Amino acid sequence: MSGPEQPGTADRTAEATAQPSVDKLSKTLQRGAKISAIVLVVTQSISLIQTLAVARLLSPAEVGAFTAGSILVNFLVTFSEGGLRAALIQREKDLEDAADTVFWVTLVNGIVMSGIAFAVSPLIGAFFGGDVAGAVCAATAAVLAIHALTNVPDGLMQRRFNFKRRMIVNPSTAVTFAATAIALSALGFGVWGLVIALYASQIVTLVLTWWLAGWWPGRGHFSFTVWREMARFALPLIASEFAQKGREFAEAGLTGRVLGEASLGMYRYGRRIAALPGTAIIQIASYVLFPAFSRIAKDAGRLRRGFLRAMTALWVTSLPAGALLVAIGEPLVVVALGEQWRGAGLVLMGMAGYGPGMALGSIGKESIKGTGRSRLLNWVTGTSVVVSITALVILLPTLGLLGVGMAASAEALCAGTLAIVIGMRVAGVRIGDALKVLLPVLVAGVAAMGATFVLENGFFHSDERSIVIGLGLLMVDVLVFLGIYLGLLRILAPSVSRELASGVRSALRRPKKRPTGSDAAVPEPEPEVVPTAAVPTAVGTPTEAIPSRPAAPGWNALDAPTVLIASGEGVETAPPWAVAVTERLAITPVAPSTHGHTNGHTNGHTNGHTNGHTNGHANGHTNGHTNGHTNGHTNGHTNGHTNGHTNGHTNGRGPGKARPGHPAHARRDGRHERDAEPLQIVRRSRHDGS
């Protein structure tokens, strides 16, 4: 089963399903995390503005009716995807067939789930005791089919570390929903304004995702064999998602049934604000860490280091965010939304542990999925179900909305702890190394929380002030909290504090310009650095090194270009421009090897061509360069390495001579490894046999 391939899309489809490069993966991940964080701040800010505005325009009962009506759609979306998008990201072979297979399976699932939601909508209305909830359920049923169409293009972009979705799709979706919901709520559409806004945002997501992904069904073919293979990987993911969505379904359902639709509206907004840190963690971790762990799963060292760095970054930010909610959660909601939403503040305080729990769970789950051991998630799923149901049954009747929030925190913390423990075993991380990160952050966060709680509830009472004064006092609370937290963290864990500061500086540093278009999706691998120590010393090669000169003050050798000086026969001095360079640099002589191998080829052959020929050009011409030049380099040098080094091999010189009038070529692309050796300038004589 396959659709017709559209004209002009073959190349883009092939690119979309190509294997991503793992060269310089750490830099790609840093860039991806930075982009995701920046975009997330934008989208969450838009979402927060929308929440504040709609809360002033609609009553808690109206928001509760929308929540009750859309609860089934949010639950069934798990089955429409079927865990196959994650399987597509993790898969290494038959990707074109896999993409077509996932597309048709998820599309059929989405249509079927839309029909189920529409059919059972009267039962939703009866359960919540109102016709509005049932009508909203029927009206939002088609969202499942629309969402199913985005699974494959979104998964392929995520697999390729293509951050266009983060930069373009997510903000566009947030703006569309917020603008539509606010405008229609102000015009008196009530709950139906939110329904229309939901459809508008989903359509924008669909159009932009397909446009940016560059994929079209039909290049591959539907395969039952591929489906079965991917389904085995996806089944534990479905169970995990089922547990999570089932818990949310139970929380919302029981809250609305026991406490009423008004309390359900407060639950929705309280949970929405409390989940902002957790949502940030899930989006960044799933979009960046999962494909990254999938690519480096076979490299034990990189996997272990990546796991620890990810755990440090997410824990050091999520724990203080949750602790701060305990201290100022209720007054924050009252000041921002109004007195009628005070119940949402109780949910917010109760869910303080949700963000930290999701941080631990996300790192553990993404590492488990990335290494292909998705069956281990069944333990996390079982723990989540048992803890969630038990806590909800105990806490909801006794503590009301606060109990609902506390049940969510208990589930996230228990499941997250188990997930991180399993993930540590998968990644080979020792418990002692993890505790060095987790415990100091926990102590600092709890201490800052206690001091801020006393300050707010004992002295400030921000919820009893005007909006302006209340916001000012809350800002003071935040500053006091951060001061105590960062100060204690610097004392208890200096290395973690330094890493946090380094991450902040890196995030604030102006990024370098990068190519635009389709080439910007995956960064080009940077040139390989060949340290001096890696170059073997050979005997009998007549190489003359330019005398060293002291480095000028303020000169940074890391910024130096790589220069090759090829002197002609009888030339005993370097060109003036090269001498000017040596006045600023400390030069180290290098002794080249005599093997002349380039990627396993001898005599300066490149890609199986002889006599300096490259890609069918005669006389050593390549891209307009003569006499054995390759990409503007002399003596058969390739990729800007000196002494004929290509991909770590030495002396891969072609037989061509240096072009008259061009004694040397310098490579100045500005991309140098921080641990690279100082610049080496070598003058090569033709008497050495070249």
Side-chain angles (χ1 to χ4, degrees):
M1 182 188 298
S2 63
E5 186 171 306
Q6 298 299 309
T9 61
D11 293 340
R12 295 188 68 197
T13 301
E15 180 184 354
T17 55
Q19 289 287 352
S21 172
V22 296
D23 293 323
K24 303 301 178 185
L25 184 59
S26 61
K27 292 189 176 181
T28 302
L29 300 185
Q30 291 174 9
R31 185 170 68 95
K34 185 184 297 185
I35 291 174
S36 297
I38 293 173
V39 173
L40 194 65
V41 170
V42 174
T43 55
Q44 296 292 12
S45 298
I46 295 171
S47 178
L48 183 60
I49 293 173
Q50 174 258 317
T51 299
L52 299 177
V54 172
R56 299 283 180 174
L57 296 171
L58 300 180
S59 66
E62 289 176 306
V63 176
F66 175 77
T67 305
S70 59
I71 185 175
L72 183 61
V73 171
N74 292 332
F75 176 72
L76 292 178
V77 71
T78 301
F79 298 96
S80 68
E81 179 183 335
L84 293 178
R85 180 171 64 178
L88 179 63
I89 297 171
Q90 198 271 343
R91 192 171 180 84
E92 296 285 350
K93 62 180 181 178
D94 303 326
L95 195 60
E96 292 176 351
D97 290 344
D100 269 51
T101 300
V102 172
F103 173 76
W104 293 111
V105 171
T106 55
L107 178 59
V108 171
N109 284 347
I111 295 173
V112 170
M113 293 303 150
S114 293
I116 293 176
F118 184 83
V120 302
S121 57
L123 298 179
I124 295 295
F127 180 81
F128 288 103
D131 296 333
V132 177
V136 170
C137 181
T140 57
V143 169
L144 293 168
I146 297 175
H147 176 77
L149 291 170
T150 66
N151 286 324
V152 172
D154 189 22
L156 291 176
M157 284 196 293
Q158 182 178 352
R159 190 179 188 278
R160 292 279 303 168
F161 302 105
N162 189 327
F163 303 113
K164 290 179 180 179
R165 192 191 201 286
R166 293 292 166 209
M167 294 186 292
I168 299 176
V169 180
N170 287 9
S172 300
T173 301
V175 169
T176 301
F177 184 88
T180 306
I182 293 173
L184 296 182
S185 297
L187 293 174
F189 278 71
V191 66
W192 299 108
L194 299 178
V195 174
I196 297 173
L198 177 62
Y199 271 101
S201 63
Q202 289 296 311
I203 292 173
V204 168
T205 302
L206 175 65
V207 173
L208 291 179
T209 300
W210 277 75
W211 173 54
L212 294 171
W215 176 85
W216 194 263
R219 189 176 181 88
H221 301 280
F222 178 86
S223 170
F224 281 101
T225 301
V226 173
W227 182 16
R228 287 194 298 268
E229 292 175 356
M230 299 179 74
R232 283 195 293 268
F233 175 85
L235 186 59
L237 305 184
I238 298 176
S240 178
E241 288 294 320
F242 176 82
Q244 179 181 344
K245 295 295 184 180
R247 174 180 52 78
E248 295 175 1
F249 183 90
E251 287 178 2
L254 291 177
T255 300
R257 178 74 175 180
V258 176
L259 303 179
E261 287 187 350
S263 295
L264 182 58
M266 296 181 187
Y267 161 81
R268 173 184 173 85
Y269 274 10
R271 180 183 180 83
R272 188 168 189 172
I273 298 174
L276 287 178
T279 301
I281 292 162
I282 293 172
Q283 291 187 8
I284 295 176
S286 63
Y287 205 86
V288 177
L289 294 183
F290 176 35
F293 286 150
S294 299
R295 303 286 84 80
I296 64 175
K298 297 180 181 179
D299 189 335
R302 294 185 72 183
L303 180 62
R304 180 173 58 256
R305 292 190 298 270
F307 186 96
L308 281 173
R309 293 191 67 181
M311 183 180 67
T312 301
L314 296 185
W315 180 249
V316 80
T317 53
S318 64
L319 189 281
L324 188 60
L325 292 181
V326 176
I328 64 172
E330 185 177 1
L332 174 64
V333 169
V334 173
V335 172
L337 304 183
E339 181 64 33
Q340 64 175 342
W341 292 93
R342 182 176 289 273
L346 297 176
V347 178
L348 188 63
M349 292 180 63
M351 290 187 65
Y354 181 82
M358 292 303 298
L360 299 176
S362 294
I363 300 166
K365 291 177 182 178
E366 303 310 325
S367 61
I368 293 170
K369 291 189 297 182
T371 54
R373 305 174 66 179
S374 57
R375 291 186 178 182
L376 293 175
L377 292 176
N378 293 331
W379 293 98
V380 181
T381 301
T383 302
S384 175
V385 172
V386 172
V387 174
S388 176
I389 294 177
T390 303
L392 194 62
V393 170
I394 295 174
L395 298 175
L396 175 61
T398 56
L399 299 177
L401 289 174
L402 178 62
V404 175
M406 293 176 63
S409 292
E411 182 276 332
L413 288 172
C414 292
T417 301
L418 180 60
I420 199 71
V421 170
I422 297 176
M424 287 166 54
R425 295 185 60 183
V426 170
V429 175
R430 294 178 297 182
I431 296 179
D433 293 334
L435 292 179
K436 290 179 182 178
V437 174
L438 299 177
L439 288 182
V441 175
L442 178 62
V443 173
V446 171
M449 176 192 69
T452 308
F453 184 87
V454 172
L455 179 65
E456 168 59 32
N457 294 277
F459 299 95
F460 285 173
H461 301 288
S462 301
D463 53 343
E464 300 176 2
R465 316 286 182 175
S466 64
I467 295 179
V468 176
I469 296 177
L471 290 176
L473 293 176
L474 289 173
M475 184 60 65
V476 174
D477 287 333
V478 173
L479 294 177
V480 171
F481 179 91
L482 290 177
I484 298 174
Y485 171 72
L486 295 176
L488 289 176
L489 189 62
R490 184 177 181 85
I491 296 173
L492 298 175
S495 60
V496 175
S497 179
R498 287 193 298 268
E499 186 168 348
L500 176 61
S502 176
V504 173
R505 287 194 298 268
S506 176
L508 296 177
R509 188 179 301 125
R510 180 178 300 178
K512 296 181 180 179
K513 293 183 178 180
R514 295 184 177 270
T516 57
S518 60
D519 293 337
V522 180
E524 291 292 333
E526 298 190 10
E528 182 179 359
V529 176
V530 182
T532 303
V535 181
T537 302
V539 179
T541 302
T543 300
E544 298 175 353
I546 299 176
S548 301
R549 305 194 183 185
W555 174 260
N556 184 5
L558 296 177
D559 297 329
T562 300
V563 179
L564 175 70
I565 300 175
S567 63
E569 185 173 2
V571 179
E572 299 299 328
T573 59
W577 64 268
V579 175
V581 173
T582 64
E583 291 178 354
R584 299 181 298 171
L585 300 173
I587 314 290
T588 303
V590 60
S593 174
T594 59
H595 296 291
H597 289 211
T598 302
N599 287 332
H601 298 281
T602 61
N603 298 321
H605 294 207
T606 304
N607 293 329
H609 297 281
T610 62
N611 297 321
H613 293 213
T614 304
N615 294 328
H617 296 282
N619 298 321
H621 292 231
T622 303
N623 294 326
H625 297 283
T626 61
N627 295 324
H629 290 225
T630 302
N631 292 328
H633 301 279
T634 61
N635 295 321
H637 293 243
T638 304
N639 291 332
H641 297 284
T642 62
N643 298 323
H645 296 202
T646 302
N647 294 329
H649 299 281
T650 60
N651 278 334
R653 295 173 290 137
K657 300 178 181 179
R659 185 169 53 173
H662 294 267
H665 293 272
R667 189 176 187 282
R668 294 173 177 269
D669 62 359
R671 299 184 296 178
H672 293 271
E673 291 292 326
R674 183 169 296 276
D675 58 350
E677 295 291 328
L679 170 67
Q680 301 172 41
I681 299 182
V682 176
R683 179 156 51 86
R684 171 75 64 183
S685 172
R686 292 196 302 117
H687 294 293
D688 61 358
S690 63

